[in-house]
């Protein structure tokens, strides 16, 4: 079993690549849920949703987020009756949030809902949240804690990043299948090219997961989300800079130093100081072929 | 003040007519909430919504229900992920349910949400529910109680109608503004051409409302929802027949006999046995002009 840890957009690209080159039974994709939040009374899991849409071929490639063939009648009407419109929910996307919320309220786990929706949308590999317990990333800015989506979407990352916490993480239990897969001796753990601060580290903050990865005996391979000091997408580079570290592929690797055995980074980027075994591959994934190529490079790196 | 009691489609047509001929401050429209239900985790108020859309000019005249310019992406997607699709919620319509549910959960009353949405959509007269407390109509069929929307929409009125109850009505408090308006001496109470069993009688079942109407000292005028023994729309005629009464304008009037002073019915229909003062007017409302004409006929009847 290959266990892939992923955040949203970037991670989902590699997860899709892996899903194309591995037999379905040999891939377990684990989604960050630190970005999850409750909005308009709905339980929204942005990284699970991004992975779901990407793996089902339903992602909106024009927007770069959300669902393909999306319409916006709900949002337009919500604005007209005075509702909050800063987090844009498409009409199709909304179906997932409403149905998930209904099922969670009826007592189902996030894992059960996620896996069932994935199955119904024809996703072959297993897709699970890191935990069925709520973990909520919050950003510290000038002494004030800001809920992650408020900072990320509503305020467009404008408040300076001075720190973060994963509220609830200390009490969260690792998703049981994930823990079992780590203990059963996986073929490898793949850390997808996601933001370390807000996509991968919430997963590693779930008690027992970081230790179980370190102890699993398999290669732990990360793919850099940084090319030439720039993040492909999102606030990764800014978060490094505002926390006093120059953004680089090596700076990402350093955050995983205790568990990392292998690292895939862009040809030409500086590997100085990286303790893991470094492989080089183009990490920008524009096409499906790019995603498959990078997935193959990851598998080749671990042999 | 004219107080108009209304269910959905038929009642909303006369309510719209009244709104066109009365100054906004002189019309209070009271919606049945016995049809309300919780579905997909959302609080849905079909008669409030129908009135809201009709009064705002946003009703879907092609479908005969729901919102104008509607799209169906949500419903289509909900079906694809295994959600329940028997109650069709359009993308625009959904915005009202999601926002109402959020506001009710935050502690607002149904009255406050209804009035605020009406104001935002430019509805001039006051629109209020009969009560802020839940009342739920249930249909008795072959000894089994069926939730109203289950019977009405999912089962398309197929189970025979043997009786009904308004669960929660005994504990429901009348909407305070409505009660105050009745006590202040209204100019008239208008019972719109809605189904007596499931649209008007739930309103009259709220403790104190029937007595307050009887005691208000003003004309109480109903408009027949029956023409030549047929209901314009919905199960009114069937419910009469299955409860052992031939459907007729007079049969409707008989159900309001204790409060009715005036009655408007189709020219040619039999008025025998009606104790109230009868006026004749075409009661089928196809166009806005029809609605205005009937509203004028109602006002003329009470002088």
């Amino acid at each position: 079993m290959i266990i892939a840890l992923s955040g949203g957009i970037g991670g989902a690209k590699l997860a899709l690549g892996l899903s194309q080159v591995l037999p379905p039974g040999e891939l377990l994709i684990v989604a960050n849920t630190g970005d999850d939040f409750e909005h308009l009374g709905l339980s929204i899991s942005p990284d699970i949703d991004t992975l779901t849409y990407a793996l089902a071929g339903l992602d909106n490639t024009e927007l770069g987020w959300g669902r393909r063939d999306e319409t916006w009648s709900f949002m337009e009407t919500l604005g007209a009756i005075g509702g909050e419109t800063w987090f844009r929910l498409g009409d199709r996307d909304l179906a997932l949030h409403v149905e998930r919320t209904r099922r969670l309220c009826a007592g189902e786990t996030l894992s059960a809902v996620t896996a069932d929706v994935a199955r119904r949308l024809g996703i072959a590999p297993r897709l699970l949240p890191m935990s069925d317990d709520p973990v909520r990333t919050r950003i510290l800015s000038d002494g004030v804690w800001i809920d992650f989506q408020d900072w990320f979407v509503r305020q467009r990352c404008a408040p300076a990043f001075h720190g973060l916490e994963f509220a609830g993480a200390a009490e969260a239990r690792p998703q049981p299948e994930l823990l079992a897969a780590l203990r059963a001796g996986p073929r490898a753990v793949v850390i997808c090219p996601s933001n370390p601060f807000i996509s991968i580290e919430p997963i590693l903050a779930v008690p027992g997961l970081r230790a179980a990865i370190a102890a699993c005996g398999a290669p732990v391979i990360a793919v850099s989300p940084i090319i030439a000091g720039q993040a492909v997408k999102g606030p990764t580079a800014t978060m490094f800079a505002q926390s006093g570290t120059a953004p680089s592929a090596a700076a990402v690797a350093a955050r995983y130093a205790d568990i990392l055995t292998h690292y895939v980074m862009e040809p030409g980027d500086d590997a100085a100081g990286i303790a893991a075994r470094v492989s080089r591959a183009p990490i920008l994934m524009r096409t499906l072929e790019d995603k498959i190529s990078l997935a193959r490079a990851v598998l080749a790196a671990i042999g």
Side-chain angles (χ1 to χ4, degrees), chain A:
Chain A
M1 180 77 87
I2 301 269
I3 301 171
L5 313 183
S6 179
I9 311 296
K13 290 182 178 182
L14 181 59
L16 176 60
L18 290 167
S19 78
Q20 302 288 306
V21 300
L22 286 167
E26 295 180 19
L27 177 60
L28 167 61
I29 300 162
V30 178
N32 167 46
T33 58
D35 291 11
D36 290 14
F37 74 133
E38 287 68 47
H39 185 57
L40 308 177
L42 304 172
S43 293
I44 300 180
S45 295
D47 288 353
I48 289 178
D49 298 344
T50 296
L51 282 160
T52 299
Y53 297 149
L55 293 165
L58 294 171
D59 51 321
N60 191 319
T61 48
E62 292 98 74
L63 278 180
W65 55 273
R67 274 269 323 213
R68 184 180 296 261
D69 303 321
E70 193 56 285
T71 61
W72 300 95
S73 301
F74 168 81
M75 212 72 221
E76 193 180 297
T77 310
L78 187 66
I81 60 170
E84 283 188 53
T85 56
W86 60 267
F87 194 90
R88 294 190 56 70
L89 296 168
D91 301 328
R92 293 187 190 282
D93 187 35
L94 193 64
L96 183 46
H97 309 312
V98 168
E99 181 65 358
R100 175 194 294 124
T101 304
R102 186 193 68 74
R103 293 179 66 169
L104 291 177
C105 287
E108 291 190 64
T109 62
L110 182 57
S111 295
V113 178
T114 301
D116 183 55
V117 169
R119 185 183 59 76
R120 287 175 187 274
L121 295 179
I123 296 172
R126 198 87 176 128
L127 171 62
L128 292 171
M130 67 197 200
S131 173
D132 285 320
D133 300 315
V135 176
R136 298 291 179 264
T137 298
R138 301 202 300 160
I139 303 293
L140 182 65
S141 184
D142 290 322
V144 175
W145 289 103
I146 308 174
D147 289 340
F148 177 70
Q149 296 295 348
D150 186 350
W151 178 80
F152 185 62
V153 178
R154 195 173 71 82
Q155 304 195 56
R156 297 160 192 266
C157 309
F161 169 70
H162 297 126
L164 81 177
E165 67 165 9
F166 309 124
E171 296 78 40
R173 292 157 298 179
Q175 204 289 327
E177 275 185 61
L178 164 60
L179 200 58
L182 284 169
R183 288 179 175 161
R187 182 172 155 207
V189 175
V190 177
I191 299 177
C192 290
S194 295
N195 185 315
F197 299 93
I198 53 176
S199 295
I200 300 302
E201 288 171 13
I203 303 177
L204 301 176
V206 176
L209 280 187
R210 194 162 196 138
I213 291 168
C216 75
V220 178
I221 183 166
V223 175
S224 173
I226 298 274
I227 302 174
Q230 300 291 321
V232 173
K233 190 176 170 72
T236 311
T238 311
M239 293 177 105
F240 269 110
Q242 294 187 339
S243 56
T245 304
S248 68
V252 173
R255 298 192 73 92
Y256 308 137
D258 57 319
I259 51 172
L260 208 62
T261 62
H262 296 69
Y263 197 54
V264 180
M265 53 190 287
E266 185 74 12
D269 269 11
D270 187 1
I274 298 177
R277 188 178 305 177
V278 168
S279 305
R280 303 288 187 162
I283 59 177
L284 190 63
M285 294 170 279
R286 285 203 186 87
T287 65
L288 180 60
E289 290 64 40
D290 294 342
K291 294 163 196 169
I292 290 172
S293 292
L294 186 53
R296 288 196 199 283
V298 166
L299 298 179
I302 55 169

